[in-house]
Structures are given as C-alpha cells and as structure tokens.
Amino acid sequence: MRRKSLTETKPDFRKLPQEFYTRDVLDVAPDLIGKNLIVRMNDNTCRSFQLTEVEAYRGEDDKACHASKGRTERTSVMFGIGGHLYVYLIYGMYWMLNIVTGEKDNPQAVLLRGAQGINGPGKLTRELGIDRSFYGENLVTSTRIWLEDSGQRLDYKTGPRIGIDYAGEYWKSVPWRFYI
DNA sequence: TCAGTGATTAGG
DNA sequence: CTAATCACTGAG
C-alpha cells in the first residue's frame, strides 16, 4: 500500500497559505465560500465551520468600507497585508469578524456573515467565541484560528451587501455579497 | 417595526 | 468633554 506523503500526513496540510489572502478581495471573497474556518475553543477542542456567506469591502473609494474614512486606530489592520483579522464591536453587542486581504496599503476585508447552521455575522462570532482579543490575529501562524480547504467547490450566488444604507446608491448596489 | 447596547469617531 | 453613528439581533 502506498505510503502517504509528508504533506498528506501533516495535520494542517489543508491550511490556506499566505498567498491565498494576498489577492484582491473580489477574488478572495468568493473563494472563501465552502472553506472551513477552524477555531480552537476554550476547552482546547477545535471546531470547524464551513463558510456559506461573506461580503467584500474594498478600498478607500468604497463608501461602505470602514477604510473609506481614512486610517484610524480601529481600521489600521486593514491597511496591512492580507491574512490578518479585523474584528470590531457593533451596536454595543456584536463582534464582526473580517479577514483582511490584499497587499499592504490597499485596505480591504471580507466580512464573514454566515456558516453552515449559523446565519448572521453576530451569531457566528458568538458561536465561535470571537472577541476583541482576535483583532490582528494572523490566520497563517495562529494556533487558535485558521482556514482550511474543504476540498469542495460549491456554487454560490451574488447580491448587494446588507446593512449599508449610508453608503449611497452605487456602493449599496454592487453585488459584493457571496452566499450559498 | 423597533429597542438594546457601548466602542469609536469627529468636533468643540 | 459631548453626541452621533453603527457591515446586528430578537421580540412583538
């Protein structure tokens, strides 16, 4: 019987590499559909969540993107290289989990809106135990959160992004929401 | 439809 | 310091 290759036996052989994130957000966002988000819980067990819904926020021109108001302390991680987490609190209750993409000084991120069995970005982070402490986390080197290829390529739909009425007609209408 | 909830931000 | 805003959720 054929011996498994080294890469096949390594436990993290499916982990998405830096190159996955260092691309334009409009390429990364649809590629995230069907990927598995792995989180190490407080009891040290790992849980896997297959992503079903994401949204792209792209650059300083995009009026819906937090980076459109310029660099602030909160948004600074978006101005760095892709592969880090942008986490912030909204409405005093819900943590939003975003994956920074692209090259340095080109602020972009993907909002994770849902996973299999979980609809809604606030419910997703509550289920995963995401909070402030995950801000800036590196998905390539972290031992408590990362992404893996599921080996599946799933069909997805596109549509306008949710909850950005303030962004104006054009940015409200661009189909940068990707979902199963 | 609408209140809850508190960090973040711009402005004085 | 103040006050407005907000990439949401759940109850009615």
Side-chain angles (χ1 to χ4, degrees):
Chain A
M1 188 173 177
R2 188 176 67 87
R3 190 178 184 286
K4 282 186 177 175
S5 74
L6 181 62
T7 54
E8 280 174 337
T9 53
K10 272 175 71 80
D12 62 345
F13 74 101
R14 288 181 180 278
K15 185 192 278 191
L16 301 185
Q18 177 63 49
E19 301 77 60
F20 180 88
Y21 305 103
T22 321
R23 297 179 294 152
D24 189 90
V25 70
L26 294 181
D27 294 321
V28 178
D31 273 4
L32 283 170
I33 297 297
K35 295 292 189 292
N36 292 329
L37 179 64
I38 317 295
V39 181
R40 187 182 300 277
M41 309 303 286
N42 285 333
D43 63 2
N44 219 33
T45 61
C46 288
R47 295 180 63 189
S48 177
F49 301 85
Q50 187 165 39
L51 299 178
T52 58
E53 182 178 1
V54 303
E55 283 175 356
Y57 290 85
R58 185 171 186 262
E60 295 176 90
D61 293 337
D62 178 1
K63 291 289 182 286
C65 181
H66 290 167
S68 67
K69 295 196 183 77
R71 186 178 190 140
T72 66
E73 188 175 2
R74 182 180 66 151
T75 62
S76 62
V77 72
M78 271 202 284
F79 289 77
I81 195 169
H84 295 257
L85 295 182
Y86 169 42
V87 177
Y88 67 93
L89 188 69
I90 189 77
Y91 300 117
M93 286 181 244
Y94 307 105
W95 294 100
M96 297 290 102
L97 176 58
N98 298 252
I99 296 173
V100 175
T101 64
E103 302 285 355
K104 186 173 178 293
D105 296 324
N106 187 353
Q108 321 179 317
V110 180
L111 169 65
L112 305 188
R113 290 195 65 91
Q116 202 132 82
I118 309 172
N119 297 317
K123 287 193 275 189
L124 181 72
T125 54
R126 192 174 51 185
E127 186 74 16
L128 272 57
I130 299 296
D131 61 19
R132 173 95 242 194
S133 73
F134 283 80
Y135 183 94
E137 194 87 356
N138 186 329
L139 288 171
V140 180
T141 60
S142 177
T143 57
R144 61 173 177 163
I145 186 168
W146 64 90
L147 280 152
E148 293 184 357
D149 197 333
S150 63
Q152 293 180 294
R153 288 190 69 84
L154 303 175
D155 285 333
Y156 60 85
K157 299 175 182 163
T158 64
R161 296 171 293 180
I162 309 273
I164 53 165
D165 287 347
Y166 60 87
E169 285 308 312
Y170 176 74
W171 295 107
K172 244 166 51 173
S173 71
V174 292
W176 290 357
R177 172 172 172 246
F178 305 88
Y179 62 101
I180 294 175

